[in-house]
Amino acid sequence: MFTNAIVRTPCKNMIKGLTSSTEGPPDYLKALIQHKIYVDALKSCGMEITTLPPNDNYPDSTFVEDAALLTPHCGIITRPGAHSRRRETNSMKRVMTDFYDDIEEIKSPGTVDAGDIMMVGSHYYIGLSKRTNTTGVNQVIKILNKYNLTGSTIALSEMLHLKSGLSYLENNNLVVAGEFTDNPEFQKFNLIKIDDDESYAANCVWINDYVLIAKVYPKTKQSIEQIGYETIELDMSEFRKLDGGLSCLSLRF
Ligand code: CIR
């Protein structure tokens, strides 16, 4: 059960955000509307929302998920792998003190984007990616262990982040796409396999038995509804242009 979410309103400079997409820059006004609808969806799932103000110094700062890992026992400030994103953590630190007594921090030369970290109960899968390095992974695992939590590493080579292709929907249900589909680590789960033509939809978000999914990916929607969840479809077109998905837009705890 999650009760809180932290989000950050997109800034005008989001049009300069990092991307591998060829779709062109996002439409800022459209992104603002999509973000508002996203926040309304979180509220409809019972979440209390803390909204951080837009910050034009950091074009990608609306993707708050990467700047921190919030566990039931401690908050961890990350050290994002992209230089342009590194100081997004400053304001995150301040807001986390409202919720956590224990705040830990990833230190140089470690880098971690928390989009690379997937929580499954008290275990955390940590992607070794272009953004998250081995030193960063080891620091995360050491911190988790201190709070009786565990972590393990998953290597990735194609996706931006671990959660670009994996979403845990509780009750042993795991949405999986692309390079993770045949990974032996995940075969113990009830796998909801996403076809390549819908792989963007693999980034979805379980919140209190609702699942937020991107619009319009009918096969994914049907598979998730078949296992008993109510889905809420959200238009993510402008965030997709920056390689961002649904989970990236909030920290849920
Ligand atoms: C970036 O490249 O860092 C942003 N444009 C997108 C970050 C997406 N975050 C995530 O998947 N957790």
Side-chain angles (χ1 to χ4, degrees):
M1 179 88 186
F2 292 123
T3 50
N4 282 291
I6 297 172
V7 299
R8 186 188 286 282
T9 308
C11 61
K12 284 202 181 88
N13 268 347
M14 75 179 291
I15 57 169
K16 298 180 188 153
L18 298 170
T19 188
S20 63
S21 161
T22 52
E23 284 184 76
D27 177 322
Y28 168 63
L29 293 178
K30 223 169 154 183
L32 278 182
I33 294 167
Q34 290 178 357
H35 193 265
K36 186 187 176 309
I37 296 171
Y38 176 87
V39 171
D40 287 345
L42 294 180
K43 286 182 189 160
S44 75
C45 298
M47 309 281 271
E48 283 284 328
I49 313 293
T50 300
T51 304
L52 303 176
N55 187 340
D56 270 315
N57 294 327
Y58 307 111
D60 285 297
S61 53
T62 192
F63 301 115
V64 285
E65 175 181 63
D66 295 316
L69 177 70
L70 304 185
T71 82
H73 308 303
C74 67
I76 305 176
I77 302 284
T78 63
R79 187 166 177 272
H83 279 279
S84 65
R85 303 200 59 191
R86 199 145 285 167
R87 287 168 192 273
E88 286 178 28
T89 52
N90 290 348
S91 53
M92 194 55 73
K93 243 183 252 179
R94 286 193 288 276
V95 69
M96 276 166 65
T97 56
D98 292 344
F99 298 99
Y100 286 94
D101 292 330
D102 291 309
I103 298 177
E104 306 278 352
E105 213 165 322
I106 301 303
K107 303 256 169 35
S108 174
T111 62
V112 174
D113 278 13
D116 275 320
I117 307 181
M118 179 177 72
M119 177 180 84
V120 176
S122 60
H123 187 77
Y124 293 72
Y125 292 95
I126 310 163
L128 194 55
S129 70
K130 290 186 193 79
R131 301 285 179 87
T132 299
N133 65 17
T134 306
T135 313
V137 172
N138 291 338
Q139 288 183 35
V140 174
I141 294 176
K142 203 166 161 199
I143 294 167
L144 292 171
N145 290 166
K146 189 172 145 188
Y147 295 91
N148 284 325
L149 303 167
T150 54
S152 59
T153 311
I154 303 291
L156 53 142
S157 56
E158 290 162 22
M159 305 231 178
L160 174 63
H161 287 126
L162 186 78
K163 283 189 288 191
S164 309
L166 283 175
S167 301
Y168 185 59
L169 305 186
E170 304 298 318
N171 305 310
N172 207 44
N173 296 313
L174 182 67
V175 172
V176 63
E179 62 183 298
F180 304 121
T181 307
D182 297 322
N183 189 316
E185 291 282 338
F186 301 124
Q187 303 309 308
K188 64 181 177 203
F189 292 102
N190 172 35
L191 294 181
I192 299 116
K193 295 184 182 173
I194 306 301
D195 291 345
D196 286 347
D197 63 334
E198 293 204 359
S199 72
Y200 178 75
N203 179 270
C204 48
V205 180
W206 176 96
I207 306 177
N208 307 338
D209 279 350
Y210 292 95
V211 178
L212 309 187
I213 63 165
K215 223 178 201 169
V216 180
Y217 296 95
K219 290 184 283 184
T220 305
K221 179 172 154 64
Q222 193 186 20
S223 310
I224 292 174
E225 287 176 353
Q226 255 163 13
I227 57 167
Y229 294 117
E230 192 170 324
T231 58
I232 301 176
E233 279 184 292
L234 294 168
D235 190 351
M236 289 292 292
S237 65
E238 303 317 298
F239 301 104
R240 184 182 165 146
K241 290 175 185 167
L242 295 178
D243 299 333
L246 283 161
S247 72
C248 325
L249 290 179
S250 60
L251 283 161
R252 303 155 301 277
F253 56 108

